[in-house]
Amino acid sequence: MKLAVIGCGMSGMAAVISAVTNGADPRSITIYESLGRAGRKILATGNGRCNLGNEFTDKNCFYVSKEGGDEFLSGILSSYNVQDLKEFYSSLGIITVSKNGYLYPRSLQAGAVLSALLDRVVSYGIRIEYEKTVQSITPDRDSFIVKTGAAEERYDLVIVSSGFGSGGFDVPSPHLAELFKEQHISFRKPLPALCPLKVREDIKKLAGVRAAGRVSVFVNGNSQGSDEGEIQFTKDNVSGIPVFQISRTASIALSEGREVKLVLNMMPEVNSYELKGILSSVTGCDPGKSILSAMCGFLNKALSAYILSRCAIAPETPCGSLKGRDKDAILRNITELGFTVKASEDKNRAQTMAGGVAPSELDMCELKKIPGMFVTGELIDADGKCGGYNLYLAWATGLMAGKKAAGYYKK
């Protein structure tokens, strides 16, 4: 019995550890990694601190395919809960801490997590083939031919944990899509999720601005969700965690040719009456002060200037010269600052991808139509919100696939 694991990231290494723990012979396992090192994407998670998971984990933290998604997610959550996650990392020597529910290694260093995972894999004597891109996986009778360059090797089992290239890292072979098509496996095209959104409006003057607010997304004029937090601007996109949380909806709608708009409320903590009072107060205390200076009393200066430009009001306009319609326009643009989304950032800027194999095609991550072949992590049409949920899915599906693969060794 021989097992090939494609991808030496979180999901791939979790699969190997699970397989060996459940009885697989480590000498029979080979990991193929397209890059020159393992777990590069792990190092980028949680801004380098590695957000391993979340204390508050339930079905509402994930998006899953309508094709078997609920059943699949229930199986994952019941098999691998938050306590299991803590105990797993503890067994590797990693102590976890919770920061507002977000789970991190106590060291707050992603490198420590990567080292612990890789050390355990290496301790088993697993063969790791670095800089080996798998070009194809071909089912052949009761086995699989894995091709890398001019080399081919036959395996009894294959676990594909290579992801879709979010973050600019491991990319699975295009052959997989063809294989799934040939086998009539339901597979949804992957799209960037948890990513910045490019807008049509000129926002160069907002580049570098960070401000608290609420982001709402509208598809063909209909509200499709919102989130609050720090909103960030670059020269051509809107970013930050609240944008990431609604970016999945935007990506899917854009791929379907629908109109997507963002509406930003830059003072969501007050109601319209209170905001009107704030504006009246700051403009009334000194009629000779410029409106830009007055607005800087409660809003970021660059953001204030941008809002005034959208209102066609000169920033040097004295507060005492403002008309009622001017104040109404300012209030409207503070609470309903609209942008038209032209594209989601590409996969290199996305934290994860939405899409993949429909969960209805899987039995504990094994493809029902290709026995002996497993997919994990990003390759499954299930993804999570910001907060450690995608790394949790990578870990949990890796463990599940490894455990079931180990069962073949006992037959």
Side-chain angles (χ1 to χ4, degrees):
M1 188 68 64
K2 291 174 62 181
L3 166 63
V5 177
I6 318 302
C8 196
M10 171 62 75
S11 203
M13 287 190 280
V16 168
I17 292 170
S18 177
V20 173
T21 301
N22 285 283
D25 182 355
R27 296 169 299 179
S28 70
I29 301 174
T30 300
I31 302 176
Y32 291 96
E33 171 56 51
S34 65
L35 301 175
R37 62 179 299 179
R40 187 176 169 188
K41 191 174 178 182
I42 293 174
L43 298 176
T45 60
N47 290 320
R49 298 183 300 170
C50 202
N51 186 188
L52 298 167
N54 202 296
E55 296 272 15
F56 311 109
T57 300
D58 60 27
K59 287 184 177 182
N60 296 322
C61 303
F62 303 92
Y63 304 99
V64 291
S65 166
K66 294 179 181 179
E67 299 179 59
D70 287 341
E71 183 180 352
F72 169 79
L73 193 55
S74 294
I76 289 290
L77 293 172
S78 62
S79 298
Y80 304 103
N81 58 36
V82 174
Q83 186 58 36
D84 294 327
L85 183 145
K86 293 177 182 178
E87 290 175 0
F88 173 84
Y89 286 108
S90 178
S91 73
L92 300 179
I94 296 293
I95 305 303
T96 56
V97 293
S98 175
K99 292 183 177 295
N100 298 319
Y102 290 49
L103 293 171
Y104 296 94
R106 177 65 179 76
S107 65
L108 295 181
Q109 291 183 308
V113 175
L114 174 56
S115 293
L117 287 163
L118 190 57
D119 287 349
R120 180 58 57 87
V121 170
V122 171
S123 75
Y124 293 146
I126 304 293
R127 176 165 67 109
I128 304 177
E129 295 283 349
Y130 290 109
E131 297 183 328
K132 288 290 182 71
T133 299
V134 172
Q135 296 174 323
S136 65
I137 302 168
T138 306
D140 184 49
R141 297 186 293 276
D142 294 327
S143 61
F144 301 88
I145 299 172
V146 175
K147 182 178 180 180
T148 57
E152 292 183 352
E153 192 162 350
R154 188 178 292 272
Y155 291 90
D156 302 284
L157 306 166
V158 177
I159 298 176
V160 186
S161 304
S162 52
F164 286 123
S166 60
F169 303 138
D170 299 318
V171 183
S173 168
H175 173 79
L176 279 179
E178 289 300 316
L179 175 60
F180 295 152
K181 185 177 180 180
E182 290 171 4
Q183 298 293 327
H184 304 289
I185 292 171
S186 181
F187 177 85
R188 191 160 62 88
K189 178 184 176 181
L191 296 167
L194 301 186
C195 64
L197 296 174
K198 293 183 178 181
V199 298
R200 295 191 183 281
E201 292 76 9
D202 183 355
I203 59 170
K204 293 185 183 69
K205 292 184 178 179
L206 285 176
V209 170
R210 293 169 176 250
R214 179 189 300 130
V215 181
S216 300
V217 60
F218 290 80
V219 177
N220 286 350
N222 298 311
S223 176
Q224 296 295 317
S226 65
D227 202 77
E228 288 189 28
E230 185 181 75
I231 301 168
Q232 302 172 20
F233 297 88
T234 70
K235 64 180 181 180
D236 64 354
N237 71 45
V238 186
S239 185
I241 289 179
V243 176
F244 283 16
Q245 301 287 40
I246 55 88
S247 61
R248 183 185 196 275
T249 299
S251 290
I252 293 172
L254 289 168
S255 74
E256 296 169 346
R258 293 187 282 172
E259 180 187 63
V260 179
K261 290 185 177 292
L262 300 181
V263 175
L264 277 53
N265 182 346
M266 302 314 300
M267 289 193 68
E269 71 276 16
V270 298
N271 60 37
S272 59
Y273 179 79
E274 292 169 330
L275 180 58
K276 186 175 182 179
I278 291 172
L279 185 62
S280 294
S281 175
V282 299
T283 56
C285 63
D286 183 355
K289 180 187 289 189
S290 73
I291 180 57
L292 177 60
S293 294
M295 288 177 66
C296 287
F298 62 96
L299 275 183
N300 174 281
K301 184 176 182 179
L303 179 60
S304 296
Y306 180 80
I307 287 173
L308 288 172
S309 71
R310 292 279 291 259
C311 299
I313 298 173
E316 66 273 13
T317 302
C319 291
S321 299
L322 292 173
K323 303 290 193 299
R325 64 176 179 272
D326 295 327
K327 293 182 180 180
D328 289 342
I330 291 170
L331 292 170
R332 185 170 59 253
N333 276 277
I334 290 174
T335 58
E336 300 176 19
L337 187 58
F339 297 97
T340 301
V341 180
K342 65 178 180 180
S344 51
E345 281 285 5
D346 64 25
K347 65 184 180 184
N348 293 330
R349 296 287 304 280
Q351 290 188 9
T352 191
M353 302 286 280
V357 175
S360 60
E361 301 283 359
L362 304 174
D363 178 15
M364 292 182 67
C365 297
E366 183 178 19
L367 290 162
K368 296 175 183 177
K369 295 172 182 173
I370 314 178
M373 185 173 182
F374 302 77
V375 292
T376 69
E378 220 172 47
L379 284 169
I380 300 172
D381 194 359
D383 53 285
K385 299 178 180 180
C386 283
Y389 300 110
N390 289 293
L391 208 56
Y392 161 82
L393 278 178
W395 166 79
T397 55
L399 292 187
M400 180 171 279
K403 182 177 181 179
K404 189 169 189 194
Y408 277 87
Y409 283 77
K410 302 172 184 178
K411 293 181 180 179

